[in-house]
Amino acid sequence: MRDRLFIIIAGAVVGLLAVVLVLQGNPVNMGFCIACFIRDISGALGLHRAGVVQYIRPEIIGLIIGAFATALFVKEFKPTGGSSPVLRFALGMFMMAGALIFLGCPLRLVLRLAGGDWNALIALPGYVVGVWLGTIFLKNGYTLGRSQEQSNVNGYAGPFIAVILLILLVAAPAFIFFSEEGPGAMGAPLVLALGAGLLVGVLAQRTRLCTMGAIRDIILFKDFHLFYGFAAIFVVALIGNLLTGYFNPGFEGQPVAHISTLWNFLGMTVVGLAAVLAGGCPMRQLILTGEGQGDALLTVFGMMAGAAFMHNFGLAGSPAGVSPAGQWIVLISLIVLGIIGLGNSKLLSGNK
Amino acid sequence: MPETVDCRGLSCPEPVIQARQALQQASGGTVTVVVSNTVARDNVSRAAKSMGWQVAVEEDGDDFKLSISK
């Protein structure tokens, strides 16, 4: 009962901070969007040159460091790694690909829904279908194999990178790209964004809040524990948006969104499936990175590379919709994810 | 016959799925599940309790040994 209250509080804080961050300058319905923010960091580092989405987002830094500090404090910091690193990198790439087709990670899906963006209403069942497909593999013995304990240096790598990013953000040297217009130029003040990230990092580490686990555990075990957190994000963000005038129901003209029904649906199917196979949604991967899991850090690197791939080759969705090449990427993603799922489960005879 | 499920190095939900399968097959007696992280410890414990089993947790070096009995 205490656990349930705690995860509801954590979800409520995420929803509240998301509204506050938008009021303080973040793009609308993007108080938190882990995929978007990692994509922005990719751009800031010059990995892609989409000029409107380049910014070192303090929220990401805060999430990793918040989780790291908490894990150290409660003695849950445990450097591990070595469980299918190549596949984890690939799963990160696909997770980002799907998110950039829909234009949002699962967390932003909830926030878009709370802002009255009905395209998210199309994407939500797509996401559930993706997670459900993933659970079929899980029920049939899907695993990426055991991780091994590693040296502390491995575990400190993620938090160290977060600190480097913070230094680059504050120092703002000329080789770092910062958008001058578009979503990348919109951001809450550094201290607020960093503080919000830190607080959510602490809460998410303690509660294991995960937007994929919320759906997965219901399908697998009829366990609603994580879903309470997921629902709390929605309810509080909805109330916040209603109170602040950011609830604008409709399909068209939604901020950083498009109205291609099929691709909104399938984009999130890709994210849901990839997240199950990778063992966590984009936010959860950041938290696990803070706890010292090298496998999660590799997934984050995969997301950064995926963002670069999607933007450099013009595959990402935009308010104009999804390009034909982007549509192909969705189909290719589903096929490759299917192969990863099949190849690591007992669905095909011959797998060990 | 005491059964041991080795879930070290696996992350959730895999330990929960394996533990549940073992508990369903055993239907009684004692099943030992070894996990290597606190998330798995908590999730397996919760799943076992919800299935009507009792759980005793013992730290074993960096791992956790869960003795689940009914």
Side-chain angles (χ1 to χ4, degrees):
Chain A
M1 199 57 216
R2 209 178 119 255
D3 283 356
R4 180 177 303 177
L5 187 64
F6 193 25
I7 197 160
I8 289 174
I9 291 171
V13 169
V14 173
L16 180 66
L17 287 174
V19 174
V20 171
L21 287 169
V22 170
L23 284 176
Q24 293 297 316
N26 272 20
V28 178
N29 295 348
M30 210 189 278
F32 281 104
C33 172
I34 308 308
C36 313
F37 290 0
I38 289 177
R39 181 266 321 272
D40 292 349
I41 291 175
S42 264
L45 299 177
L47 298 178
H48 70 71
R49 302 297 165 99
V52 292
V53 284
Q54 295 173 317
Y55 180 39
I56 297 180
R57 292 280 177 187
E59 291 90 343
I60 300 291
I61 298 168
L63 281 163
I64 296 175
I65 295 178
F68 170 65
T70 313
L72 275 184
F73 186 70
V74 299
K75 297 190 169 49
E76 287 184 359
F77 178 77
K78 192 171 183 180
T80 57
S83 157
S84 301
V86 174
L87 295 185
R88 294 206 185 251
F89 187 90
L91 290 170
M93 284 188 79
F94 288 119
M95 197 145 65
M96 180 60 85
L100 291 182
I101 292 292
F102 164 66
L103 297 175
C105 68
L107 189 48
R108 183 164 191 250
L109 168 73
V110 179
L111 296 175
R112 281 177 62 173
L113 210 52
D117 178 345
W118 299 149
N119 299 295
L121 213 52
I122 309 282
L124 181 61
Y127 183 54
V128 173
V129 167
V131 174
W132 171 72
L133 287 171
T135 62
I136 297 175
F137 294 118
L138 280 174
K139 280 182 194 162
N140 286 283
Y142 172 85
T143 178
L144 286 177
R146 293 174 201 273
S147 60
Q148 309 294 322
E149 283 187 41
Q150 297 187 323
S151 67
N152 279 338
V153 182
N154 278 284
Y156 292 143
F160 179 74
I161 291 169
V163 171
I164 297 289
L165 285 173
L166 184 59
I167 293 169
L168 289 173
L169 172 62
V170 174
F175 57 85
I176 297 294
F177 298 85
F178 290 103
S179 296
E180 284 169 3
E181 53 173 0
M186 303 166 74
L190 191 156
V191 175
L192 178 72
L194 185 66
L198 283 168
L199 181 55
V200 174
V202 172
L203 293 172
Q205 197 283 334
R206 292 316 298 140
T207 58
R208 340 272 190 222
L209 190 67
C210 175
T211 60
M212 177 279 294
I215 313 286
R216 179 199 63 198
D217 287 356
I218 294 175
I219 298 174
L220 274 180
F221 310 126
K222 297 186 177 60
D223 176 357
F224 283 76
H225 178 70
L226 293 173
F227 183 78
Y228 289 114
F230 188 79
I233 299 173
F234 172 75
V235 171
V236 172
L238 176 66
I239 295 170
N241 283 331
L242 285 168
L243 291 178
T244 55
Y246 276 97
F247 183 79
N248 296 304
F251 280 98
E252 293 189 33
Q254 294 290 349
V256 201
H258 60 74
I259 55 167
S260 307
T261 305
L262 179 64
W263 304 107
N264 278 328
F265 185 95
L266 287 180
M268 283 315 285
T269 303
V270 170
V271 177
L273 177 53
V276 175
L277 298 182
C281 70
M283 182 179 74
R284 182 79 184 136
Q285 300 294 344
L286 292 176
I287 303 302
L288 294 174
T289 296
E291 291 179 10
Q293 293 197 17
D295 293 325
L297 179 57
L298 267 178
T299 313
V300 174
F301 284 159
M303 284 195 270
M304 290 178 70
F309 188 86
M310 294 296 284
H311 279 290
N312 286 338
F313 300 115
L315 307 170
S318 73
V322 178
S323 67
Q327 298 173 5
W328 276 107
I329 283 296
V330 172
L331 299 177
I332 291 167
S333 299
L334 288 172
I335 293 168
V336 177
L337 290 171
I339 293 170
I340 293 175
L342 281 174
N344 292 287
S345 66
K346 293 170 186 154
L347 276 167
L348 291 181
S349 56
N351 292 342
K352 57 175 182 169
Chain B
M1 190 184 71
E3 193 190 346
T4 299
V5 186
D6 182 2
C7 296
R8 284 175 298 177
L10 297 179
S11 29
C12 278
E14 291 163 40
V16 179
I17 294 174
Q18 291 193 13
R20 280 172 65 104
Q21 280 172 354
L23 294 181
Q24 275 160 4
Q25 278 166 13
S27 75
T30 301
V31 175
T32 305
V33 180
V34 189
V35 298
S36 57
N37 59 69
T38 51
V39 181
R41 177 197 65 193
D42 297 345
N43 288 349
V44 171
S45 299
R46 200 169 55 210
K49 282 175 190 162
S50 77
M51 292 168 75
W53 294 67
Q54 288 185 324
V55 184
V57 182
E58 191 188 329
E59 280 196 47
D60 181 9
D62 282 342
D63 303 324
F64 299 97
K65 208 162 121 184
L66 279 66
S67 300
I68 306 175
S69 55
K70 183 155 80 173

